Amino acid sequence: AASSPSTATLRGASAASRSTWGGASRTLAAGAVATAAVVGRGALLRRRATAVKKKGVRVVAPYEGSCISKETITSKTPLVNWETCHVIMDHGGKVPYIEGQSIGVIAPGPDKKGETPAKIRLYSIASSAPGDDETNKTVSLVVKRVVEVAGRGWCEYSNVEQGQDPEFPDAEKVYRGVCSSHICDLNAGDDVLITGPTGAEMLLPEDPEANMIFMATGTGIAPFRSHLRNLFHDKVSKGKFKGCAWLFLGVPYSESLLYDEEWKEMQAEFPDQFRYDYAISSEEKSERNKINGEMWVQHKMMEYEEDLWELVKDPKTHVYMCGLKGMESGFAECFQDKVEAEGMVYTEFLKAMKKQKRYHVEVY
């Protein structure tokens, strides 16, 4: 299945602002000297990022950071893996990164192969470069606690002795993700081993007048929160962006929505530049989904296909996807007919987007 999940209510711009996608300029809050310093640092980090391919992390030695806070930001649902946490870590300014990159976390282990410590697990960064506190010394992750239970979905391995899992004592097999459990169990003050940063696929475009369409499922929201805080929140960069950004987030239940209040605040302050829409698969239906009738990200996008198609054709528009593997086929489901209706071949159109470096995909 393509992009998973979603809501029906339009969470985007008002009727007036839906047709007004200009960028109202704002005064930059930071001083010129501070801004120049951050811009220079960002350019250096960007050059480093583009020099490193997104697969793999170059590690000389992991940095020992510490957990500042951990908050569960979802509510319980019928799913066994309902819990998602927002974790803020102190890296002391030793792990500088830019929006769209990932860091590695090393759990103590043992992992499913019995190795200690566990192998590096990459996570997309959910904070902008200055961090949630804008000190340039923190990094945030949004992590779903991986839980698999026999008889309640996919469960191939077990790393909990039968009958000993406190939540599912009667299950024949229970697997709990080693690194996700390590992160979701962190308490303030706990040490955490961090590597990286790495990745160049999901970086923001350099053109401040670029447009962006973000397609996310679940914790695939991470790089887009990083981007959107840079565009619409951080003192050092807020007001510089002149294009428009449109976020589509897919989740299975309303209780699974991530950062809803942040999107509301951004949209209220920048109604002509930012809008967002949800696809809540277990609560909304779509006749366009011929597989199971659920509302997935691409089906929510189809409700605005004319507006979106005009954006996709614009050479200034970048499309980003992060989340489930089916998202690319979901994008094709949305726009292949539009491409062919204008006498083009979809594969060639997509190839051209990739050549123009405005098609960015990170799926798992």
Side-chain angles (χ1 to χ4, degrees):
S3 324
S4 156
S6 318
T7 209
T9 307
L10 172 64
R11 308 274 186 165
S14 63
S17 64
R18 287 175 202 168
S19 59
T20 310
W21 284 95
S25 61
R26 299 175 56 85
T27 303
L28 189 61
V33 174
T35 301
V38 171
V39 169
R41 174 176 169 274
L44 174 61
L45 290 173
R46 182 178 291 275
R47 287 197 296 273
R48 288 179 182 172
T50 52
V52 181
K53 299 301 181 185
K54 69 172 181 175
K55 291 187 178 179
V57 182
R58 297 183 304 176
V59 183
V60 176
Y63 176 77
E64 188 173 287
S66 62
C67 174
I68 295 175
S69 65
K70 186 278 304 282
E71 178 186 4
T72 297
I73 57 173
T74 51
S75 300
K76 196 164 187 177
T77 72
L79 299 176
V80 296
N81 60 344
W82 62 269
E83 184 182 3
T84 298
C85 297
H86 181 81
V87 183
I88 304 176
M89 303 173 185
D90 182 355
H91 62 74
K94 306 295 185 183
V95 188
Y97 58 89
I98 55 177
E99 294 79 10
Q101 290 195 290
S102 300
I103 59 168
V105 175
I106 303 175
D111 60 18
K112 66 176 64 174
K113 294 183 179 180
E115 294 183 9
T116 303
K119 288 185 177 180
I120 296 168
R121 174 72 165 84
L122 287 178
Y123 291 92
S124 295
I125 295 170
S127 50
S128 51
D132 284 358
D133 59 1
E134 300 186 62
T135 64
N136 294 300
K137 294 181 179 180
T138 66
V139 61
S140 299
L141 300 179
V142 55
V143 178
K144 174 181 281 191
R145 185 188 293 273
V146 174
V147 182
E148 298 171 359
V149 179
R152 298 188 62 177
W154 173 263
C155 184
E156 183 178 1
Y157 302 98
S158 177
N159 59 356
V160 180
E161 187 175 342
Q162 188 170 351
Q164 297 303 305
D165 189 271
E167 192 175 2
F168 305 102
D170 298 328
E172 180 184 353
K173 290 191 297 185
V174 177
Y175 175 77
R176 292 186 173 271
V178 174
C179 199
S180 69
S181 294
H182 169 61
I183 295 171
C184 291
D185 287 337
L186 287 171
N187 294 308
D190 288 349
D191 294 336
V192 57
L193 291 178
I194 303 169
T195 67
T198 188
E201 175 67 19
M202 303 294 281
L203 303 186
L204 281 166
E206 295 183 5
D207 182 1
E209 296 184 352
N211 305 310
M212 281 159 270
I213 298 171
F214 299 129
M215 300 169 60
T217 55
T219 55
I221 194 67
F224 308 142
R225 180 178 185 266
S226 176
H227 291 170
L228 289 166
R229 287 180 72 84
N230 171 279
L231 300 176
F232 300 121
H233 176 272
D234 296 345
K235 291 179 182 178
V236 74
S237 52
K238 181 177 173 180
K240 296 174 68 176
F241 176 57
K242 307 302 180 186
C244 67
W246 197 339
L247 169 66
F248 290 88
L249 170 62
V251 294
Y253 295 93
S254 295
E255 292 84 354
S256 313
L257 288 171
L258 301 171
Y259 307 114
D260 180 59
E261 289 303 316
E262 292 190 23
W263 313 143
K264 287 177 181 176
E265 290 174 10
M266 290 178 188
Q267 200 279 319
E269 187 171 359
F270 296 92
D272 294 335
Q273 289 184 271
F274 176 59
R275 65 184 294 182
Y276 66 104
D277 288 279
Y278 295 145
I280 304 179
S281 60
S282 296
E283 300 174 12
E284 186 180 9
K285 302 301 179 184
S286 173
E287 293 181 356
R288 303 231 194 171
N289 185 342
K290 305 305 180 186
I291 297 174
N292 64 5
E294 293 180 349
M295 178 71 77
W296 295 343
V297 167
Q298 66 268 33
H299 307 119
K300 175 57 63 176
M301 292 174 66
M302 287 176 184
E303 295 181 5
Y304 313 102
E305 57 189 349
E306 297 301 330
D307 290 341
L308 286 168
W309 175 231
E310 290 304 312
L311 278 174
V312 169
K313 288 191 294 183
D314 187 336
K316 282 183 173 288
T317 298
H318 290 245
V319 175
Y320 293 84
M321 304 175 209
C322 189
L324 300 179
K325 283 183 179 178
M327 300 189 82
E328 285 195 89
S329 61
F331 183 79
E333 189 179 343
C334 254
F335 298 111
Q336 185 165 347
D337 288 348
K338 295 289 186 185
V339 170
E340 293 174 352
E342 296 197 13
M344 297 178 282
V345 177
Y346 181 76
T347 53
E348 294 300 316
F349 179 81
L350 199 60
K351 188 185 297 183
M353 285 190 71
K354 292 177 180 178
K355 188 174 181 179
Q356 295 161 0
K357 301 187 184 304
R358 59 188 195 95
Y359 184 84
H360 313 265
V361 180
E362 202 163 77
V363 294
Y364 42 82

